[in-house]
Amino acid sequence: QDHTIIFKGMQKEYPNTIYLYIEERKTVAAMQWLGILYTLDREGVVMEESTSTTPPAGMPVITGFRVSNINVGQGLPVRSEKQMDAYREIMEELELQMYQSQVAEINLADPIYLIMVEGVTVRLGDASYMQAKIGAVRTDMAYLRQLGKTSGILDVTIPEDAKYMPEN
C-alpha cells in the first residue's frame, strides 16, 4: 500500500516466519504542473506534492512532459509513453554515471535537451544511445568548465561527434 517502497520478494520459513524484501523509492527529479511542485522517482512514480515553487537542491527539474492528471503514489500519466521511456533512460544513466547533480533541467519535448547547472544547453536529440550521450556530456562539460564557458549549446545527438556552439 505504501508508494514509497517497492516490493522485491518474499520468503517463507515454516512454521511461522515470513521475510519481505523491499527497496525504498528515491526522489530523483521534480516537476511543476498547474502551480504545484511534484517530486518523482526514477520510474516516474509521483512521490509527493508541494505548493513550494523552489525545487529540491541537486535535483533536475523536468519540463516538456505532456500530462493529463497527477496523483501522488501513482505513475505519472503522460500522453506519450515515448516521453516516459526517455525519462527513465536519462534518469537511469545520470544515476549510473553519478551526474544528476550537474543537470538543472531536463526538457522531454522533441528534441530532448538538458540545461546544465552552469547554463549550457545540451541537445540530446532522442533517447537512443543514452549511455554514450551522457558520457559525452560528462567529458565535454569538464572541458567547457576548464574554459569557463557558462552558456552556449553542446550538441551530443551524435555522441562521438559532439559540437559546441557559443552564444553570440
Side-chain angles (χ1 to χ4, degrees), residues 25-57:
R25 291 185 188 274
K26 295 181 185 92
T27 301
V28 297
M31 71 173 282
Q32 288 208 321
W33 188 63
L34 300 177
I36 298 175
L37 183 74
Y38 295 93
T39 56
L40 309 171
D41 80 341
R42 73 178 202 189
E43 294 297 315
V45 172
V46 180
M47 299 300 289
E48 56 188 45
E49 66 182 25
S50 162
T51 54
S52 170
T53 55
T54 310

Side-chain angles (χ1 to χ4, degrees), residues 53-88:
T53 55
T54 310
M59 235 181 253
V61 173
I62 307 299
T63 57
F65 260 147
R66 294 189 354 239
V67 295
S68 50
N69 190 16
I70 299 178
N71 294 309
V72 173
Q74 297 181 358
L76 198 62
V78 294
R79 294 193 182 123
S80 164
E81 196 54 41
K82 194 171 133 186
Q83 276 189 321
M84 186 52 73
D85 292 342
Y87 169 79
R88 289 184 188 115

Side-chain angles (χ1 to χ4, degrees), residues 17-18 51 65 74 87 99 115 127 132 137-138 147 160:
T17 305
I18 295 177
T51 54
F65 260 147
Q74 297 181 358
Y87 169 79
Y99 209 64
I115 297 178
V137 170
R138 287 180 59 202
L147 297 176
E160 60 276 5

Side-chain angles (χ1 to χ4, degrees), residues 89-90 93 97 124 126-136 156-160:
E89 284 276 325
I90 292 167
E93 209 48 56
Q97 297 193 33
L124 293 177
D126 59 19
S128 63
Y129 308 110
M130 199 51 66
Q131 181 179 6
K133 289 177 180 179
I134 300 299
V156 295
T157 52
I158 303 169
E160 60 276 5

